[in-house]
Amino acid sequence: QTGFTTLDYGFVNTAATKSDITYIDGDKGILRYRGYPIDHLATHSSYLEVAWLLIYGELPTADQLAEFDDKIRHHTLLHEDLKDRFFTALPHTAHPMAVLSSGVSALSTYYENESDPNNPEHVELNMIRLLAKLPVIAAYAHKKSVGQAFLYPDNSLSFVDNFLKLNFGVRSEDYQVDPVMSRALERLLILHEDHEQNASTSTVRLVGSTGADQFASISAGIHALSGPLHGGANEAVLTMLAQIQESGGGVKRFVEKVKNKEDGVKLMGFGHRVYKNYDPRATIVKQSADEVLEQLGVHDPLLDLAKELETIALEDDYFKERRLYPNVDFYTGVIYKAMGFPTRMFTVLFAIGRLPGWLAHWRELHQDPKTKIGRPQQLYTGSPERSYPGA
Ligand code: SDX
């Protein structure tokens, strides 16, 4: 059909999902959660306070936050069968993202009779269960990959400190949380909590629109996030930096490979579907990278390499013409590595960060009385009608 504008086709209406949760201005590099600028939240708030804000639309009162925190602390335990048998069924070489997505699906089998998307009590309870148990599954995936025994969650600790202890504590000694690591991880998780209609959030909304429960929708979102062009980029950046270092060819040679599109190589951690300016999250991460590595007493030559790569790329017309700037994934991996996380856990950390946003969008979707099953429009460009030979 000619003469129709995309608006008449409805592409804009169909493609443009309405939401009250997050605002991004890609040209100005603006990111706000429910109207609050991301730098304010990353500096002054906490992961759970921002989670409440994203889900319910307003900052919680002190009592609301205390009750939310307490509920989550008292839902961290996994069913003993799940803890003891699910993980042993998987090879120790399993990628933690695969363990996480399948672990969330396995989790759902314990709550099938309490997962009606139209029952507000079920929805609220399963948000608490996922916020509480997903980090535990993540930590157990890490422990399994390093061959160490699982710890039970410690309800006396905050969300982030409990997660750090589950990852780095061992049964044979007390674990003291490093406050620098704790604050740095809290800030990084806040930066990842939502980002409007990115691929994994759109996946959660699409799956949720079919009537699938939160567990199924979140598991689908984890799979989408694992792709190297999306959440998997933070792992791919560290692999890229290590390859540049090992090649001995230097940054300039690598940048030429990217510009010549040799072997389809990309500058991972650069570019964005929306930000055609500096990703405001990357600015905050870069600022804290120096601070965190210094406070942890870690000097990582890969951070110097990343800075050199950024400087060269930002001055190069190839990247300027394509408006390619560092995104949230460019520096996060260097900090996660300094904290002691294996590279294959980086995208799992992204998933923990993004979980509140996924839950907020899933809930928002179900609040729209006209919720329809998501079905992106298609423009058919295939063969016109034709007859089958002899038909
Ligand atoms: C995340 O959507 C979100 O909000 C996602 C996210 C979130 O919080 O949820 O922000 C998280 O996913 C961040 C992005 C992480 N991915 C990476 O860092 C992987 C590397 N980046 C690229 O794959 C790419 O930049 C994308 C996919 C992220 C965005 O692609 P665009 O902006 O749509 O660009 P494009 O694919 O249309 O390419 C335009 C041009 C092309 O060159 P030409 O064909 O014009 O010659 O830019 C080039 C591309 O080849 N290009 C790159 C590049 N990204 C784009 N060239 C080299 N390195 C890159 N990283």
Side-chain angles (χ1 to χ4, degrees), residues 114-159:
E114 298 174 311
S115 296
D116 176 357
N118 300 308
N119 181 323
E121 285 176 18
H122 291 182
V123 170
E124 298 296 306
L125 179 53
N126 287 329
M127 278 198 291
I128 295 290
R129 281 173 171 149
L130 278 159
L131 285 164
K133 298 178 197 295
L134 186 139
V136 179
I137 295 171
Y140 289 173
H142 176 198
K143 281 299 193 185
K144 179 181 180 63
S145 72
V146 295
Q148 288 184 2
F150 298 166
L151 297 184
Y152 280 105
D154 180 341
N155 293 347
S156 70
L157 296 177
S158 71
F159 179 92

mmCIF file of all heavy atoms in Angstrom, residues 114-159:
data_model
loop_
_atom_site.group_PDB
_atom_site.id
_atom_site.type_symbol
_atom_site.label_atom_id
_atom_site.label_comp_id
_atom_site.label_asym_id
_atom_site.label_seq_id
_atom_site.Cartn_x
_atom_site.Cartn_y
_atom_site.Cartn_z
ATOM 1 N N GLU A 114 0.876 -20.634 42.904
ATOM 2 C CA GLU A 114 0.847 -19.255 43.438
ATOM 3 C C GLU A 114 1.405 -18.293 42.394
ATOM 4 O O GLU A 114 2.138 -17.366 42.720
ATOM 5 C CB GLU A 114 1.732 -19.186 44.702
ATOM 6 C CG GLU A 114 1.275 -20.057 45.839
ATOM 7 C CD GLU A 114 2.295 -20.033 46.990
ATOM 8 O OE1 GLU A 114 3.500 -20.219 46.721
ATOM 9 O OE2 GLU A 114 1.869 -19.793 48.131
ATOM 10 N N SER A 115 1.108 -18.565 41.129
ATOM 11 C CA SER A 115 1.717 -17.733 40.064
ATOM 12 C C SER A 115 0.697 -17.228 39.062
ATOM 13 O O SER A 115 0.973 -17.098 37.883
ATOM 14 C CB SER A 115 2.795 -18.539 39.326
ATOM 15 O OG SER A 115 3.836 -18.864 40.209
ATOM 16 N N ASP A 116 -0.508 -16.919 39.555
ATOM 17 C CA ASP A 116 -1.549 -16.396 38.660
ATOM 18 C C ASP A 116 -1.276 -14.912 38.389
ATOM 19 O O ASP A 116 -1.354 -14.090 39.313
ATOM 20 C CB ASP A 116 -2.917 -16.569 39.329
ATOM 21 C CG ASP A 116 -4.039 -15.952 38.499
ATOM 22 O OD1 ASP A 116 -3.721 -15.343 37.427
ATOM 23 O OD2 ASP A 116 -5.198 -16.028 38.910
ATOM 24 N N PRO A 117 -0.964 -14.542 37.134
ATOM 25 C CA PRO A 117 -0.649 -13.135 36.834
ATOM 26 C C PRO A 117 -1.787 -12.179 37.182
ATOM 27 O O PRO A 117 -1.562 -10.987 37.335
ATOM 28 C CB PRO A 117 -0.409 -13.137 35.317
ATOM 29 C CG PRO A 117 -0.080 -14.540 34.975
ATOM 30 C CD PRO A 117 -0.851 -15.383 35.940
ATOM 31 N N ASN A 118 -3.010 -12.722 37.342
ATOM 32 C CA ASN A 118 -4.147 -11.848 37.651
ATOM 33 C C ASN A 118 -4.454 -11.795 39.140
ATOM 34 O O ASN A 118 -5.432 -11.209 39.561
ATOM 35 C CB ASN A 118 -5.381 -12.331 36.872
ATOM 36 C CG ASN A 118 -5.122 -12.283 35.373
ATOM 37 O OD1 ASN A 118 -4.697 -11.252 34.843
ATOM 38 N ND2 ASN A 118 -5.286 -13.420 34.691
ATOM 39 N N ASN A 119 -3.583 -12.453 39.942
ATOM 40 C CA ASN A 119 -3.778 -12.425 41.397
ATOM 41 C C ASN A 119 -2.726 -11.507 42.007
ATOM 42 O O ASN A 119 -1.535 -11.870 42.063
ATOM 43 C CB ASN A 119 -3.621 -13.843 41.953
ATOM 44 C CG ASN A 119 -3.825 -13.894 43.468
ATOM 45 O OD1 ASN A 119 -3.427 -12.963 44.181
ATOM 46 N ND2 ASN A 119 -4.437 -14.959 43.947
ATOM 47 N N PRO A 120 -3.123 -10.308 42.454
ATOM 48 C CA PRO A 120 -2.148 -9.320 42.947
ATOM 49 C C PRO A 120 -1.258 -9.856 44.063
ATOM 50 O O PRO A 120 -0.074 -9.547 44.127
ATOM 51 C CB PRO A 120 -3.033 -8.175 43.446
ATOM 52 C CG PRO A 120 -4.326 -8.334 42.718
ATOM 53 C CD PRO A 120 -4.510 -9.812 42.513
ATOM 54 N N GLU A 121 -1.831 -10.718 44.920
ATOM 55 C CA GLU A 121 -1.001 -11.276 46.006
ATOM 56 C C GLU A 121 0.107 -12.173 45.444
ATOM 57 O O GLU A 121 1.251 -12.137 45.877
ATOM 58 C CB GLU A 121 -1.875 -12.073 46.991
ATOM 59 C CG GLU A 121 -2.711 -11.174 47.894
ATOM 60 C CD GLU A 121 -3.646 -11.996 48.800
ATOM 61 O OE1 GLU A 121 -3.406 -13.231 48.976
ATOM 62 O OE2 GLU A 121 -4.615 -11.406 49.310
ATOM 63 N N HIS A 122 -0.250 -12.972 44.453
ATOM 64 C CA HIS A 122 0.774 -13.823 43.817
ATOM 65 C C HIS A 122 1.853 -12.963 43.161
ATOM 66 O O HIS A 122 3.048 -13.226 43.283
ATOM 67 C CB HIS A 122 0.133 -14.716 42.741
ATOM 68 C CG HIS A 122 -0.771 -15.786 43.275
ATOM 69 N ND1 HIS A 122 -1.402 -16.698 42.469
ATOM 70 C CD2 HIS A 122 -1.157 -16.092 44.549
ATOM 71 C CE1 HIS A 122 -2.134 -17.525 43.212
ATOM 72 N NE2 HIS A 122 -2.015 -17.166 44.475
ATOM 73 N N VAL A 123 1.416 -11.910 42.467
ATOM 74 C CA VAL A 123 2.377 -11.054 41.753
ATOM 75 C C VAL A 123 3.342 -10.404 42.742
ATOM 76 O O VAL A 123 4.560 -10.423 42.550
ATOM 77 C CB VAL A 123 1.629 -9.976 40.942
ATOM 78 C CG1 VAL A 123 2.598 -8.927 40.385
ATOM 79 C CG2 VAL A 123 0.827 -10.619 39.801
ATOM 80 N N GLU A 124 2.804 -9.872 43.831
ATOM 81 C CA GLU A 124 3.663 -9.221 44.841
ATOM 82 C C GLU A 124 4.618 -10.232 45.465
ATOM 83 O O GLU A 124 5.810 -9.991 45.592
ATOM 84 C CB GLU A 124 2.804 -8.591 45.946
ATOM 85 C CG GLU A 124 1.866 -7.495 45.481
ATOM 86 C CD GLU A 124 2.617 -6.278 44.934
ATOM 87 O OE1 GLU A 124 3.476 -5.758 45.654
ATOM 88 O OE2 GLU A 124 2.349 -5.896 43.772
ATOM 89 N N LEU A 125 4.086 -11.410 45.845
ATOM 90 C CA LEU A 125 4.911 -12.423 46.515
ATOM 91 C C LEU A 125 6.009 -12.920 45.581
ATOM 92 O O LEU A 125 7.165 -13.077 45.976
ATOM 93 C CB LEU A 125 4.032 -13.597 46.972
ATOM 94 C CG LEU A 125 4.739 -14.772 47.678
ATOM 95 C CD1 LEU A 125 5.583 -14.282 48.850
ATOM 96 C CD2 LEU A 125 3.703 -15.810 48.139
ATOM 97 N N ASN A 126 5.692 -13.099 44.306
ATOM 98 C CA ASN A 126 6.713 -13.632 43.391
ATOM 99 C C ASN A 126 7.751 -12.588 43.006
ATOM 100 O O ASN A 126 8.875 -12.930 42.633
ATOM 101 C CB ASN A 126 6.057 -14.260 42.164
ATOM 102 C CG ASN A 126 5.398 -15.593 42.531
ATOM 103 O OD1 ASN A 126 5.868 -16.285 43.430
ATOM 104 N ND2 ASN A 126 4.297 -15.913 41.880
ATOM 105 N N MET A 127 7.396 -11.301 43.136
ATOM 106 C CA MET A 127 8.432 -10.263 42.961
ATOM 107 C C MET A 127 9.440 -10.364 44.094
ATOM 108 O O MET A 127 10.648 -10.354 43.876
ATOM 109 C CB MET A 127 7.793 -8.857 42.939
ATOM 110 C CG MET A 127 7.230 -8.466 41.595
ATOM 111 S SD MET A 127 6.969 -6.691 41.438
ATOM 112 C CE MET A 127 5.624 -6.444 42.586
ATOM 113 N N ILE A 128 8.926 -10.539 45.312
ATOM 114 C CA ILE A 128 9.813 -10.700 46.479
ATOM 115 C C ILE A 128 10.675 -11.955 46.304
ATOM 116 O O ILE A 128 11.892 -11.927 46.494
ATOM 117 C CB ILE A 128 8.983 -10.816 47.779
ATOM 118 C CG1 ILE A 128 8.227 -9.518 48.055
ATOM 119 C CG2 ILE A 128 9.884 -11.194 48.955
ATOM 120 C CD1 ILE A 128 9.069 -8.340 48.462
ATOM 121 N N ARG A 129 10.051 -13.058 45.907
ATOM 122 C CA ARG A 129 10.791 -14.316 45.738
ATOM 123 C C ARG A 129 11.908 -14.163 44.706
ATOM 124 O O ARG A 129 13.034 -14.589 44.905
ATOM 125 C CB ARG A 129 9.833 -15.421 45.295
ATOM 126 C CG ARG A 129 8.995 -16.012 46.413
ATOM 127 C CD ARG A 129 7.956 -16.976 45.888
ATOM 128 N NE ARG A 129 7.289 -17.714 46.955
ATOM 129 C CZ ARG A 129 6.028 -18.129 46.876
ATOM 130 N NH1 ARG A 129 5.313 -17.892 45.773
ATOM 131 N NH2 ARG A 129 5.475 -18.792 47.877
ATOM 132 N N LEU A 130 11.609 -13.505 43.584
ATOM 133 C CA LEU A 130 12.632 -13.372 42.538
ATOM 134 C C LEU A 130 13.749 -12.424 42.967
ATOM 135 O O LEU A 130 14.935 -12.713 42.797
ATOM 136 C CB LEU A 130 11.974 -12.886 41.240
ATOM 137 C CG LEU A 130 11.319 -13.996 40.426
ATOM 138 C CD1 LEU A 130 10.265 -13.434 39.468
ATOM 139 C CD2 LEU A 130 12.367 -14.798 39.660
ATOM 140 N N LEU A 131 13.379 -11.310 43.611
ATOM 141 C CA LEU A 131 14.425 -10.376 44.075
ATOM 142 C C LEU A 131 15.310 -11.043 45.120
ATOM 143 O O LEU A 131 16.505 -10.773 45.202
ATOM 144 C CB LEU A 131 13.770 -9.114 44.652
ATOM 145 C CG LEU A 131 13.193 -8.138 43.624
ATOM 146 C CD1 LEU A 131 12.247 -7.144 44.294
ATOM 147 C CD2 LEU A 131 14.316 -7.399 42.885
ATOM 148 N N ALA A 132 14.718 -11.924 45.898
ATOM 149 C CA ALA A 132 15.460 -12.578 46.991
ATOM 150 C C ALA A 132 16.279 -13.762 46.497
ATOM 151 O O ALA A 132 17.429 -13.951 46.908
ATOM 152 C CB ALA A 132 14.479 -13.047 48.072
ATOM 153 N N LYS A 133 15.708 -14.549 45.582
ATOM 154 C CA LYS A 133 16.330 -15.831 45.235
ATOM 155 C C LYS A 133 17.190 -15.791 43.976
ATOM 156 O O LYS A 133 18.119 -16.600 43.844
ATOM 157 C CB LYS A 133 15.227 -16.905 45.088
ATOM 158 C CG LYS A 133 14.432 -17.160 46.371
ATOM 159 C CD LYS A 133 13.340 -18.187 46.161
ATOM 160 C CE LYS A 133 12.309 -18.177 47.245
ATOM 161 N NZ LYS A 133 12.794 -18.563 48.574
ATOM 162 N N LEU A 134 16.925 -14.870 43.075
ATOM 163 C CA LEU A 134 17.744 -14.827 41.860
ATOM 164 C C LEU A 134 19.224 -14.592 42.188
ATOM 165 O O LEU A 134 20.105 -15.278 41.657
ATOM 166 C CB LEU A 134 17.202 -13.778 40.890
ATOM 167 C CG LEU A 134 17.886 -13.730 39.520
ATOM 168 C CD1 LEU A 134 16.861 -13.533 38.406
ATOM 169 C CD2 LEU A 134 18.915 -12.624 39.463
ATOM 170 N N PRO A 135 19.550 -13.653 43.120
ATOM 171 C CA PRO A 135 20.968 -13.471 43.470
ATOM 172 C C PRO A 135 21.591 -14.714 44.106
ATOM 173 O O PRO A 135 22.779 -14.993 43.927
ATOM 174 C CB PRO A 135 20.935 -12.304 44.466
ATOM 175 C CG PRO A 135 19.656 -11.593 44.209
ATOM 176 C CD PRO A 135 18.683 -12.652 43.787
ATOM 177 N N VAL A 136 20.777 -15.504 44.810
ATOM 178 C CA VAL A 136 21.297 -16.733 45.442
ATOM 179 C C VAL A 136 21.622 -17.760 44.357
ATOM 180 O O VAL A 136 22.685 -18.387 44.373
ATOM 181 C CB VAL A 136 20.269 -17.293 46.448
ATOM 182 C CG1 VAL A 136 20.794 -18.570 47.082
ATOM 183 C CG2 VAL A 136 19.959 -16.257 47.539
ATOM 184 N N ILE A 137 20.732 -17.899 43.388
ATOM 185 C CA ILE A 137 21.003 -18.801 42.252
ATOM 186 C C ILE A 137 22.268 -18.341 41.529
ATOM 187 O O ILE A 137 23.127 -19.150 41.169
ATOM 188 C CB ILE A 137 19.796 -18.828 41.285
ATOM 189 C CG1 ILE A 137 18.575 -19.430 41.957
ATOM 190 C CG2 ILE A 137 20.141 -19.611 40.000
ATOM 191 C CD1 ILE A 137 17.289 -19.291 41.156
ATOM 192 N N ALA A 138 22.409 -17.028 41.370
ATOM 193 C CA ALA A 138 23.598 -16.466 40.697
ATOM 194 C C ALA A 138 24.865 -16.807 41.471
ATOM 195 O O ALA A 138 25.863 -17.273 40.901
ATOM 196 C CB ALA A 138 23.458 -14.953 40.584
ATOM 197 N N ALA A 139 24.819 -16.626 42.780
ATOM 198 C CA ALA A 139 26.007 -16.915 43.600
ATOM 199 C C ALA A 139 26.339 -18.401 43.569
ATOM 200 O O ALA A 139 27.516 -18.783 43.505
ATOM 201 C CB ALA A 139 25.758 -16.458 45.038
ATOM 202 N N TYR A 140 25.304 -19.244 43.570
ATOM 203 C CA TYR A 140 25.555 -20.700 43.515
ATOM 204 C C TYR A 140 26.126 -21.090 42.155
ATOM 205 O O TYR A 140 26.953 -21.991 42.042
ATOM 206 C CB TYR A 140 24.273 -21.476 43.821
ATOM 207 C CG TYR A 140 23.828 -21.405 45.273
ATOM 208 C CD1 TYR A 140 22.605 -21.934 45.675
ATOM 209 C CD2 TYR A 140 24.611 -20.796 46.260
ATOM 210 C CE1 TYR A 140 22.174 -21.866 47.003
ATOM 211 C CE2 TYR A 140 24.193 -20.716 47.576
ATOM 212 C CZ TYR A 140 22.982 -21.250 47.948
ATOM 213 O OH TYR A 140 22.574 -21.173 49.261
ATOM 214 N N ALA A 141 25.721 -20.390 41.103
ATOM 215 C CA ALA A 141 26.313 -20.659 39.777
ATOM 216 C C ALA A 141 27.806 -20.328 39.814
ATOM 217 O O ALA A 141 28.639 -21.066 39.279
ATOM 218 C CB ALA A 141 25.613 -19.816 38.711
ATOM 219 N N HIS A 142 28.137 -19.236 40.489
ATOM 220 C CA HIS A 142 29.557 -18.845 40.630
ATOM 221 C C HIS A 142 30.310 -19.893 41.451
ATOM 222 O O HIS A 142 31.352 -20.396 41.027
ATOM 223 C CB HIS A 142 29.639 -17.483 41.307
ATOM 224 C CG HIS A 142 31.046 -17.024 41.599
ATOM 225 N ND1 HIS A 142 31.309 -16.027 42.499
ATOM 226 C CD2 HIS A 142 32.255 -17.424 41.120
ATOM 227 C CE1 HIS A 142 32.627 -15.837 42.564
ATOM 228 N NE2 HIS A 142 33.220 -16.673 41.733
ATOM 229 N N LYS A 143 29.744 -20.259 42.622
ATOM 230 C CA LYS A 143 30.419 -21.241 43.496
ATOM 231 C C LYS A 143 30.626 -22.563 42.756
ATOM 232 O O LYS A 143 31.666 -23.201 42.864
ATOM 233 C CB LYS A 143 29.584 -21.469 44.759
ATOM 234 C CG LYS A 143 29.731 -20.364 45.807
ATOM 235 C CD LYS A 143 31.160 -20.239 46.306
ATOM 236 C CE LYS A 143 31.284 -19.398 47.550
ATOM 237 N NZ LYS A 143 32.688 -19.198 47.942
ATOM 238 N N LYS A 144 29.612 -22.955 41.970
ATOM 239 C CA LYS A 144 29.734 -24.219 41.233
ATOM 240 C C LYS A 144 30.876 -24.135 40.229
ATOM 241 O O LYS A 144 31.665 -25.054 40.070
ATOM 242 C CB LYS A 144 28.425 -24.510 40.495
ATOM 243 C CG LYS A 144 28.466 -25.785 39.677
ATOM 244 C CD LYS A 144 27.175 -26.013 38.941
ATOM 245 C CE LYS A 144 27.275 -27.289 38.146
ATOM 246 N NZ LYS A 144 27.459 -28.498 38.980
ATOM 247 N N SER A 145 31.013 -22.978 39.592
ATOM 248 C CA SER A 145 32.052 -22.849 38.553
ATOM 249 C C SER A 145 33.462 -22.876 39.147
ATOM 250 O O SER A 145 34.422 -23.188 38.448
ATOM 251 C CB SER A 145 31.856 -21.536 37.777
ATOM 252 O OG SER A 145 32.214 -20.415 38.579
ATOM 253 N N VAL A 146 33.571 -22.551 40.439
ATOM 254 C CA VAL A 146 34.900 -22.574 41.074
ATOM 255 C C VAL A 146 35.048 -23.763 42.023
ATOM 256 O O VAL A 146 36.027 -23.873 42.755
ATOM 257 C CB VAL A 146 35.191 -21.249 41.818
ATOM 258 C CG1 VAL A 146 35.263 -20.084 40.826
ATOM 259 C CG2 VAL A 146 34.152 -20.952 42.893
ATOM 260 N N GLY A 147 34.039 -24.636 42.019
ATOM 261 C CA GLY A 147 34.137 -25.874 42.799
ATOM 262 C C GLY A 147 34.096 -25.693 44.296
ATOM 263 O O GLY A 147 34.658 -26.488 45.057
ATOM 264 N N GLN A 148 33.411 -24.631 44.747
ATOM 265 C CA GLN A 148 33.324 -24.406 46.194
ATOM 266 C C GLN A 148 31.921 -24.698 46.727
ATOM 267 O O GLN A 148 30.936 -24.574 45.993
ATOM 268 C CB GLN A 148 33.696 -22.947 46.520
ATOM 269 C CG GLN A 148 35.171 -22.646 46.363
ATOM 270 C CD GLN A 148 35.507 -21.229 46.793
ATOM 271 O OE1 GLN A 148 34.618 -20.468 47.256
ATOM 272 N NE2 GLN A 148 36.757 -20.831 46.615
ATOM 273 N N ALA A 149 31.853 -25.004 48.010
ATOM 274 C CA ALA A 149 30.561 -25.327 48.648
ATOM 275 C C ALA A 149 29.680 -24.088 48.721
ATOM 276 O O ALA A 149 30.169 -22.958 48.831
ATOM 277 C CB ALA A 149 30.824 -25.856 50.057
ATOM 278 N N PHE A 150 28.363 -24.326 48.642
ATOM 279 C CA PHE A 150 27.410 -23.224 48.749
ATOM 280 C C PHE A 150 27.303 -22.799 50.214
ATOM 281 O O PHE A 150 27.431 -23.618 51.115
ATOM 282 C CB PHE A 150 26.024 -23.669 48.265
ATOM 283 C CG PHE A 150 25.971 -24.090 46.814
ATOM 284 C CD1 PHE A 150 24.870 -24.783 46.341
ATOM 285 C CD2 PHE A 150 26.999 -23.792 45.926
ATOM 286 C CE1 PHE A 150 24.779 -25.160 44.997
ATOM 287 C CE2 PHE A 150 26.931 -24.173 44.598
ATOM 288 C CZ PHE A 150 25.814 -24.861 44.133
ATOM 289 N N LEU A 151 27.049 -21.504 50.439
ATOM 290 C CA LEU A 151 26.736 -21.008 51.786
ATOM 291 C C LEU A 151 25.235 -20.742 51.855
ATOM 292 O O LEU A 151 24.594 -20.489 50.832
ATOM 293 C CB LEU A 151 27.482 -19.695 52.059
ATOM 294 C CG LEU A 151 29.018 -19.731 52.067
ATOM 295 C CD1 LEU A 151 29.535 -18.340 52.455
ATOM 296 C CD2 LEU A 151 29.524 -20.778 53.032
ATOM 297 N N TYR A 152 24.695 -20.767 53.089
ATOM 298 C CA TYR A 152 23.324 -20.302 53.237
ATOM 299 C C TYR A 152 23.318 -18.764 53.265
ATOM 300 O O TYR A 152 24.299 -18.146 53.708
ATOM 301 C CB TYR A 152 22.724 -20.843 54.543
ATOM 302 C CG TYR A 152 22.241 -22.273 54.437
ATOM 303 C CD1 TYR A 152 22.965 -23.319 55.006
ATOM 304 C CD2 TYR A 152 21.069 -22.586 53.742
ATOM 305 C CE1 TYR A 152 22.539 -24.634 54.892
ATOM 306 C CE2 TYR A 152 20.628 -23.906 53.621
ATOM 307 C CZ TYR A 152 21.370 -24.918 54.199
ATOM 308 O OH TYR A 152 20.951 -26.214 54.075
ATOM 309 N N PRO A 153 22.240 -18.140 52.785
ATOM 310 C CA PRO A 153 22.160 -16.671 52.899
ATOM 311 C C PRO A 153 22.255 -16.239 54.363
ATOM 312 O O PRO A 153 21.873 -16.996 55.264
ATOM 313 C CB PRO A 153 20.776 -16.364 52.321
ATOM 314 C CG PRO A 153 20.431 -17.550 51.476
ATOM 315 C CD PRO A 153 21.065 -18.731 52.130
ATOM 316 N N ASP A 154 22.754 -15.033 54.571
ATOM 317 C CA ASP A 154 22.894 -14.498 55.942
ATOM 318 C C ASP A 154 21.915 -13.333 56.094
ATOM 319 O O ASP A 154 22.129 -12.248 55.565
ATOM 320 C CB ASP A 154 24.348 -14.020 56.139
ATOM 321 C CG ASP A 154 24.581 -13.453 57.535
ATOM 322 O OD1 ASP A 154 23.563 -13.099 58.208
ATOM 323 O OD2 ASP A 154 25.746 -13.339 57.924
ATOM 324 N N ASN A 155 20.817 -13.600 56.824
ATOM 325 C CA ASN A 155 19.735 -12.588 56.903
ATOM 326 C C ASN A 155 20.143 -11.353 57.701
ATOM 327 O O ASN A 155 19.410 -10.373 57.743
ATOM 328 C CB ASN A 155 18.478 -13.210 57.530
ATOM 329 C CG ASN A 155 17.870 -14.270 56.629
ATOM 330 O OD1 ASN A 155 18.254 -14.361 55.458
ATOM 331 N ND2 ASN A 155 16.971 -15.072 57.146
ATOM 332 N N SER A 156 21.302 -11.410 58.343
ATOM 333 C CA SER A 156 21.711 -10.214 59.115
ATOM 334 C C SER A 156 22.362 -9.172 58.207
ATOM 335 O O SER A 156 22.642 -8.046 58.618
ATOM 336 C CB SER A 156 22.718 -10.622 60.206
ATOM 337 O OG SER A 156 23.951 -10.993 59.577
ATOM 338 N N LEU A 157 22.608 -9.562 56.951
ATOM 339 C CA LEU A 157 23.338 -8.667 56.037
ATOM 340 C C LEU A 157 22.396 -7.967 55.054
ATOM 341 O O LEU A 157 21.318 -8.485 54.750
ATOM 342 C CB LEU A 157 24.382 -9.464 55.247
ATOM 343 C CG LEU A 157 25.514 -10.109 56.059
ATOM 344 C CD1 LEU A 157 26.423 -10.920 55.131
ATOM 345 C CD2 LEU A 157 26.326 -9.047 56.801
ATOM 346 N N SER A 158 22.847 -6.847 54.529
ATOM 347 C CA SER A 158 22.066 -6.132 53.497
ATOM 348 C C SER A 158 22.060 -6.962 52.214
ATOM 349 O O SER A 158 22.826 -7.928 52.080
ATOM 350 C CB SER A 158 22.741 -4.785 53.211
ATOM 351 O OG SER A 158 23.968 -5.025 52.509
ATOM 352 N N PHE A 159 21.227 -6.552 51.280
ATOM 353 C CA PHE A 159 21.087 -7.258 49.999
ATOM 354 C C PHE A 159 22.457 -7.453 49.339
ATOM 355 O O PHE A 159 22.847 -8.572 49.001
ATOM 356 C CB PHE A 159 20.166 -6.456 49.069
ATOM 357 C CG PHE A 159 19.975 -7.073 47.721
ATOM 358 C CD1 PHE A 159 18.921 -7.945 47.474
ATOM 359 C CD2 PHE A 159 20.864 -6.801 46.674
ATOM 360 C CE1 PHE A 159 18.743 -8.522 46.229
ATOM 361 C CE2 PHE A 159 20.697 -7.383 45.425
ATOM 362 C CZ PHE A 159 19.636 -8.239 45.207
#
